[in-house]
Amino acid sequence: MGLLSGFKQVVIDRWSWLNYKTIYSDNLGMPNRRAFPEAHATWVPAESERRLAAYKLLTAYDHNQVAELTAIRDGDDALERREFGDPSMFVDTLTSHVLGDEQTITVPGAEQAGQDDAAPEAQMAERVQTLLREWADEELLPMRLLQTERKAVGLGDGVYLLYWDADKQRARIKTYDPGFYFPVLDEDDDGSDFPTRVHFAWELPEDKPRNLPARVRRITYHLDWIRPLTSSGVDRTGRPVRAPVLSEASEDSPAQPILTRGDQVDAGGTITRLYPWSERPSYKTVYLTDATWELGDLKGNVDVDSLPLDKATFASNDQGEVLDALDMLIDFIPVLHVPNTVPEPGEHWGQSSLAKVLQVFDELSGSDTDSSKASATTGAPIIAISGKAITAQQQYSVGPGMVFTLGEGGSMTSVDTSTNLAELRNHITDLKDRASSVARLPAVALGSVEAAQFDSGYQLELALGPLDSLISAMRLARDHADRLLPKFVQRLFQAGQHPDWIGLPVLPARLMRGAYTPTDKAAGLKDVIEARGAGLISLETGIRRLQELGWPIEDAEKEIERIDARSFTDAVALADALGNAEEVASFLGREAPDQPDPPAVVLPAAGVEPADDEDPETPATTAATGARASRGNT
């Protein structure tokens, strides 16, 4: 033990790329307590300490505050560090790329709703898609996505919370800082599995004006077995709690727990419930608890998952329901964890996009600091004056227009540091190139190289190759959440019994992310025209391709309708092929004109002779005969 006591412990985990920071990892691999007091709170689980400290350190890089954090350990000299926002620029750039230029919720089959032979399923898909897009507009979904994605890119993890708002009568979406997110992960669980119990917890500072001590608040979503109905009440101390609802007792039977409306008891005595989105009864539901503890009441070895409920103060919602294991009437935890990268096997957490380049940013900050000092000596050069008239007591200040009178043999010498400054700036450029290379974020994506320098779109595409692979991997890590988000929204609307959603099924939908790289629109348009002209692709596929290239086409279906309404050449071909005016009018989006009935043709009866009193050479007959003769002569 004596020989091993001096050895430094090497910690390798999801956040070990920060071990080089002495303020983050000491001899035992633990973060500095003075710099990261939040990570060492009594209620924080031991396995979350390094994660919370990593979040704070990464946030300091994003906010140009690493010098302030380092000064806690290294003293005020660390405050001379220069930070010019390079990490923040990387985070912003990657966030915009992973989001794309637009975000749209789509339901497969909805694009076929405008066709004449569209199936009822297509009409239903179009209805669900319209309702989801209206919800996204009301909830400002692009802004929520931006908030979460920036957390995921910069810290490694992002978190959504979806819930039903009875007052607004719609599903709501909320973004949480991952430092407040504490899932309960069992040792046997795969990191990619959804936990059955999730906590959101944070400390509330002391509020002296309101006479409130320091507290910790915890919001818990727990997927558990369905239990009998409960209602709001108070315990013996007057504390709001929930209690089971019992039936009235009688002489023949004692009081019995009451079930929630619609629940049933199966043959085994287990309570089941049939949810609108399921065809089979479920045994599970989600319970919501929102409680607060005073830090002074937390004694002994407790963490966020084992806080004593007998010392908790439970909150109430807008409907007056006490949030003490309140039945949410859903069988899924409406929390979406968004990892920035695909987690390793058995892992739950993602990795920050700054992880691999953090040491380069430290070197870049050091070079910026040295460059700032060198530029000071270049702008105000060091001057040495010598001569017999110079004494040690004399002081000189150098400025524009200054004249120095020197004695016999006097001289003046200046020190030129401009060459050092040039070398430092070249080194800074090399470090920026190294950071771009390691982060797989090409200079053209950062905006430091103009796209016009490339001769063709193919050259630009090759330059953006590393970024393509990076964004593909990042979007793969988000694919499951992009599918679950609209699915959870549909279920919440049905659980809330919104009239617009009654009778609609929960359809597979997903959040689509737009293009993230500049494209050669001219070359793409040429490809679409050639493929469409050769009959190799449909008009729908061509419009979809133009949308991907960034053409301002908001709705492909409506765009096709507008194109068809002006396709008179195709309409003539359709009329020749079908001979049906109704079909042609429908193709053009118009109504067919009313066709007048043709006059009936009356033929003279065969063998009828003129009447005796009629002169066969009447004037009318003579005129007609003359006209025929005239046409014949002509």
Side-chain angles (χ1 to χ4, degrees):
M1 294 298 295
L3 293 176
L4 297 177
S5 61
F7 288 0
K8 180 178 176 63
Q9 181 179 358
V10 178
V11 179
I12 300 179
D13 59 7
R14 197 59 173 167
W15 300 276
S16 56
W17 43 270
L18 274 172
N19 286 348
Y20 80 98
K21 304 287 290 187
T22 55
I23 195 173
Y24 178 78
S25 183
D26 58 14
N27 291 333
L28 299 178
M30 299 305 296
N32 185 282
R33 287 185 173 272
R34 291 189 300 133
F36 308 100
E38 306 87 355
H40 295 281
T42 56
W43 55 272
V44 173
E47 62 272 14
S48 297
E49 292 181 0
R50 285 172 57 82
R51 176 173 67 92
L52 298 186
Y55 289 160
K56 183 174 182 178
L57 185 55
L58 288 169
T59 303
Y61 272 94
D62 190 18
H63 293 174
N64 293 344
Q65 291 182 289
V66 178
E68 296 180 35
L69 200 60
T70 308
I72 297 176
R73 182 183 184 276
D74 298 340
D76 293 341
D77 292 340
L79 296 176
E80 296 182 1
R81 173 192 179 106
R82 294 292 184 269
E83 299 175 79
F84 296 148
D86 294 285
S88 179
M89 178 191 62
F90 269 58
V91 171
D92 289 337
T93 303
L94 282 173
T95 300
S96 63
H97 287 330
V98 76
L99 275 175
D101 54 4
E102 62 179 358
Q103 303 82 43
T104 308
I105 297 178
T106 61
V107 179
E111 67 278 2
Q112 302 175 3
Q115 301 177 3
D116 295 336
D117 57 346
E121 291 78 7
Q123 301 291 342
M124 191 170 295
E126 194 274 336
R127 175 61 177 164
V128 172
Q129 178 177 275
T130 301
L131 290 175
L132 286 173
R133 291 181 176 180
E134 290 176 354
W135 168 83
D137 291 338
E138 293 176 348
E139 278 299 299
L140 305 177
L141 182 61
M143 183 184 70
R144 301 301 181 191
L145 292 173
L146 178 59
Q147 292 173 341
T148 303
E149 288 298 345
R150 204 179 189 287
K151 290 289 185 182
V153 172
L155 304 183
D157 302 284
V159 182
Y160 296 111
L161 171 64
L162 292 150
Y163 63 96
W164 177 254
D165 191 327
D167 292 336
K168 294 184 178 295
Q169 282 294 296
R170 71 168 183 263
R172 305 296 306 275
I173 185 171
K174 188 175 184 179
T175 298
Y176 270 101
D177 188 290
F180 299 159
Y181 173 61
F182 295 91
V184 180
L185 305 173
D186 296 331
E187 295 180 357
D188 297 332
D189 291 344
D190 187 356
S192 61
D193 292 338
F194 284 94
T196 58
R197 189 164 63 255
V198 170
H199 304 296
F200 292 101
W202 61 92
E203 284 193 12
L204 301 173
E206 182 182 3
D207 189 350
K208 291 184 178 180
R210 300 172 58 190
N211 196 25
L212 294 175
R215 294 148 294 152
V216 57
R217 182 182 178 186
R218 188 190 74 181
I219 301 174
T220 301
Y221 289 87
H222 185 199
L223 181 65
D224 203 359
W225 301 101
I226 299 175
R227 297 192 287 268
L229 179 66
T230 60
S231 64
S232 302
V234 294
D235 61 8
R236 296 179 179 178
T237 63
R239 184 182 59 151
V241 294
R242 298 195 69 82
V245 178
L246 302 178
S247 63
E248 295 184 4
S250 64
E251 295 180 358
D252 298 332
S253 63
Q256 297 292 331
I258 297 178
L259 301 182
T260 303
R261 180 181 299 178
D263 291 354
Q264 295 181 355
V265 179
D266 64 5
T270 306
I271 303 176
T272 64
R273 181 179 299 162
L274 185 62
Y275 293 99
W277 49 84
S278 178
E279 297 180 354
R280 296 186 302 173
S282 175
Y283 296 91
K284 297 295 186 71
T285 188
V286 172
Y287 296 97
L288 170 62
T289 301
D290 187 349
T292 304
W293 288 263
E294 294 184 7
L295 290 180
D297 292 338
L298 302 181
K299 307 294 183 182
N301 187 18
V302 297
D303 61 16
V304 69
D305 191 46
S306 60
L307 296 175
L309 292 177
D310 58 335
K311 297 183 180 298
T313 301
F314 299 103
S316 299
N317 61 14
D318 295 336
Q319 288 72 44
E321 295 286 349
V322 178
L323 301 181
D324 173 19
L326 175 65
D327 191 347
M328 302 298 294
L329 303 177
I330 56 177
D331 61 347
F332 62 95
I333 296 180
V335 176
L336 290 176
H337 170 238
V338 182
N340 183 52
T341 57
V342 177
E344 297 179 0
E347 286 285 347
H348 181 76
W349 309 102
Q351 188 178 76
S352 170
S353 295
L354 301 179
K356 298 296 191 297
V357 292
L358 214 56
Q359 294 191 49
V360 182
F361 284 138
D362 284 344
E363 290 290 334
L364 187 59
S365 176
S367 298
D368 286 334
T369 303
D370 295 339
S371 177
S372 177
K373 295 179 179 179
S375 63
T377 59
T378 301
I382 301 173
I383 297 178
I385 301 176
S386 62
K388 293 184 178 180
I390 304 302
T391 63
Q393 290 76 20
Q394 288 179 305
Q395 298 292 331
Y396 294 90
S397 59
V398 180
M402 292 293 298
V403 177
F404 296 92
T405 302
L406 303 179
E408 181 181 355
S411 63
M412 179 180 294
T413 305
S414 64
V415 179
D416 184 10
T417 61
S418 59
T419 56
N420 297 334
L421 179 60
E423 288 298 325
L424 283 172
R425 290 179 174 175
N426 291 334
H427 183 54
I428 290 173
T429 301
D430 292 340
L431 288 175
K432 289 184 176 180
D433 293 340
R434 173 68 64 86
S436 299
S437 176
V438 174
R440 291 188 291 172
L441 196 59
V444 63
L446 290 171
S448 55
V449 176
E450 294 183 2
Q453 297 181 7
F454 297 93
D455 297 332
S456 66
Y458 183 69
Q459 291 182 353
L460 178 61
E461 186 175 354
L462 288 178
L464 292 172
L467 179 64
D468 292 338
S469 62
L470 172 64
I471 298 301
S472 296
M474 295 175 69
R475 289 190 173 184
L476 177 62
R478 293 156 170 80
D479 182 71
H480 198 193
D482 290 347
R483 297 176 185 271
L484 285 179
L485 190 145
K487 180 179 180 180
F488 285 178
V489 171
Q490 295 178 71
R491 289 185 174 185
L492 287 174
F493 270 106
Q494 292 187 357
Q497 298 181 358
H498 194 281
D500 292 341
W501 289 83
I502 295 178
L504 293 178
V506 175
L507 297 179
R510 66 173 301 171
L511 177 69
M512 300 295 295
R513 301 166 185 258
Y516 58 90
T517 56
T519 55
D520 191 342
K521 292 185 178 180
L525 177 61
K526 181 180 178 182
D527 293 339
V528 171
I529 293 175
E530 292 178 353
R532 176 64 180 149
L536 300 178
I537 61 173
S538 64
L539 180 59
E540 290 79 3
T541 302
I543 293 296
R544 191 179 302 113
R545 176 55 179 161
L546 293 180
Q547 283 182 310
E548 295 173 355
L549 292 173
W551 286 75
I553 302 174
E554 297 181 358
D555 192 314
E557 180 181 342
K558 293 182 179 179
E559 189 70 19
I560 293 173
E561 292 178 357
R562 287 191 287 265
I563 293 174
D564 289 343
R566 296 169 176 83
S567 301
F568 301 110
T569 303
D570 294 338
V572 172
L574 182 63
D576 293 339
L578 301 179
N580 190 328
E582 294 288 344
E583 293 286 346
V584 176
S586 176
F587 174 77
L588 295 173
R590 305 183 182 187
E591 294 183 0
D594 296 333
Q595 296 291 339
D597 295 333
V601 178
V602 180
L603 298 176
V608 177
E609 295 294 336
D612 294 340
D613 57 349
E614 293 182 0
D615 186 357
E617 295 294 333
T618 59
T621 304
T622 304
T625 303
R628 286 195 297 269
S630 175
R631 288 198 298 271
N633 295 333
T634 303

